[in-house]
Amino acid sequence: MQIKFIDRKSGKTQLETPPGEGFLKLLYNNPFGKIALLPLVKRKFLSEWYGRKMSKPSSVKKIPSFISDLNIDISEAKKKVKDFTSFNDFFYRELKSEARPIENNFVSPGDGKLLAFEDVADVHDFFIKGRKFTLKEFLNNDTLAKQYKNASLFILRLAPNDYHRFHFPYDGIPSETTKIKGDYLSVSPYALANNFTKVFCENKREFCSLSTKNKGNILLIPVGATMVGTIIETYTPNSEVKKGDEMGYFAFGGSTIAVLVDKTKIKMDSDILQNTKNKIETFVKMGEKIAE
């Protein structure tokens, strides 16, 4: 299985090699891994244990090789490598403001590989394995599921080498966060291809409703994953935010942010839509325009 994506800036198709690729294949593609190891890996205590380990001062020794192996542009960070106090401090590093300019219209809430569906009902046509994906299971809320049943959906997948803070894609007033308990399955392409519905409807996640003047209510759903023991919110509920303001960050690991918005209020960018129809993700950065 080759993991391909479109680099939007260059327009070229690239290959992604996730850290721990061999272990991920064992977990999700090997019968032994599925039976013996996967139930252990998705447990909360393992992710929390590893999260604590990555917050210890001794974990800084992992930073240089991680930067080198994954070709991370550390010049974008506010801190220098020597100033990080732990691996997690590096992992959810802040970037210089000029590193992520905020463009016009509706923007990406973070860095990562993006999929776009004009109608959430189209998701099943993309992820053909597993049972049907339903908003009722994903949101664990009947009222919201009915409200967004025909909404447009963005799915932004963050790989471990990506910038791991996430931001508001539009101006508005955010609600308090509602947390949904769950496991810590990987959001790697291996896991998603194996069973997209299982990953999204069983992982730890939370949602926030962003009330806007001309886009209705936008639902933002950060999703935790393997080795992500914590989702930290950094915004103030019920206070006005501007597009690009920080919403929160993830601790170590890959993760995902889903965005649901009234499909009559936006027009998704055609290149992202076409790539999704071709069953390939598009790499975007935080603040980059993804819809009008």
Side-chain angles (χ1 to χ4, degrees):
M1 176 184 176
Q2 287 189 321
I3 305 167
K4 296 180 180 180
F5 66 92
I6 301 293
D7 180 82
R8 200 180 193 194
K9 186 175 181 180
S10 67
K12 295 181 179 179
T13 300
Q14 297 188 2
L15 291 178
E16 176 183 353
T17 303
E21 180 180 23
F23 185 61
L24 289 170
K25 286 180 178 179
L26 175 64
L27 285 181
Y28 293 99
N29 296 343
N30 183 286
F32 171 77
K34 288 181 181 180
I35 295 172
L37 298 177
L38 187 56
L40 175 64
V41 170
K42 72 178 186 179
R43 295 296 295 274
K44 181 179 179 180
F45 78 86
L46 182 61
S47 284
E48 291 185 340
W49 169 80
Y50 202 78
R52 289 194 297 270
K53 185 177 180 181
M54 291 299 100
S55 292
K56 291 182 177 180
S58 59
S59 64
V60 295
K61 62 187 178 183
K62 297 180 179 292
I63 297 174
S65 61
F66 194 86
I67 292 172
S68 176
D69 292 346
L70 298 180
N71 195 30
I72 293 171
D73 184 0
I74 198 62
S75 69
E76 295 180 331
K78 287 184 178 181
K79 287 185 178 181
K80 297 183 182 299
V81 173
K82 64 181 179 62
D83 296 326
F84 291 114
T85 58
S86 68
F87 186 86
N88 253 335
D89 185 37
F90 153 73
F91 188 77
Y92 44 70
R93 61 197 174 276
E94 292 183 87
L95 301 184
K96 299 170 184 174
S97 58
E98 62 269 24
R100 295 293 182 274
I102 308 302
E103 299 181 0
N104 293 327
N105 295 297
F106 194 92
V107 303
S108 174
D111 287 13
K113 317 299 191 309
L114 186 68
L115 296 172
F117 303 92
E118 288 180 293
D119 191 314
V120 68
D122 298 334
V123 174
H124 188 59
D125 295 328
F126 185 95
F127 295 99
I128 59 175
K129 292 187 178 182
R131 56 190 171 84
K132 187 175 182 180
F133 172 78
T134 71
L135 279 182
K136 181 178 178 180
E137 289 178 294
F138 180 48
L139 300 175
N140 196 34
N141 186 302
D142 290 352
T143 302
L144 285 179
K146 291 176 182 176
Q147 180 181 343
Y148 290 95
K149 66 178 181 179
N150 294 120
S152 289
L153 171 66
F154 291 102
I155 299 173
L156 183 72
R157 179 178 62 83
L158 285 65
N161 56 303
D162 289 323
Y163 167 61
H164 263 67
R165 291 180 180 257
F166 50 95
H167 301 248
F168 291 101
Y170 208 74
D171 299 347
I173 299 176
S175 70
E176 293 186 358
T177 294
T178 299
K179 299 182 184 296
I180 304 174
K181 294 181 180 180
D183 294 320
Y184 291 91
L185 291 155
S186 173
V187 294
S188 77
Y190 298 111
L192 295 176
N194 182 268
N195 195 325
F196 171 86
T197 300
K198 183 179 179 69
V199 169
F200 272 77
C201 294
E202 293 189 12
N203 267 21
K204 179 179 179 180
R205 56 207 184 278
E206 54 190 50
F207 60 81
C208 161
S209 179
L210 180 67
S211 175
T212 72
K213 290 182 178 179
N214 56 6
K215 293 288 180 284
N217 288 336
I218 299 168
L219 205 62
L220 306 168
I221 311 107
V223 181
T226 303
M227 301 309 171
V228 180
T230 310
I231 302 172
I232 301 293
E233 306 92 24
T234 56
Y235 73 97
T236 302
N238 305 311
S239 298
E240 187 173 353
V241 297
K242 295 295 184 183
K243 176 175 55 178
D245 284 353
E246 187 179 291
M247 181 178 172
Y249 61 85
F250 296 103
F252 178 69
S255 203
T256 295
I257 303 161
V259 181
L260 285 161
V261 57
D262 187 336
K263 68 179 181 182
T264 67
K265 304 291 187 181
I266 63 167
K267 181 181 179 183
M268 291 175 152
D269 283 1
S270 58
D271 63 317
I272 299 172
L273 277 174
Q274 188 56 54
N275 290 340
T276 300
K277 290 175 182 176
N278 292 337
K279 300 187 182 298
I280 190 167
E281 297 166 308
T282 305
F283 178 72
V284 297
K285 291 185 176 181
M286 194 283 289
E288 186 175 331
K289 174 183 168 292
I290 56 175
E292 296 181 8

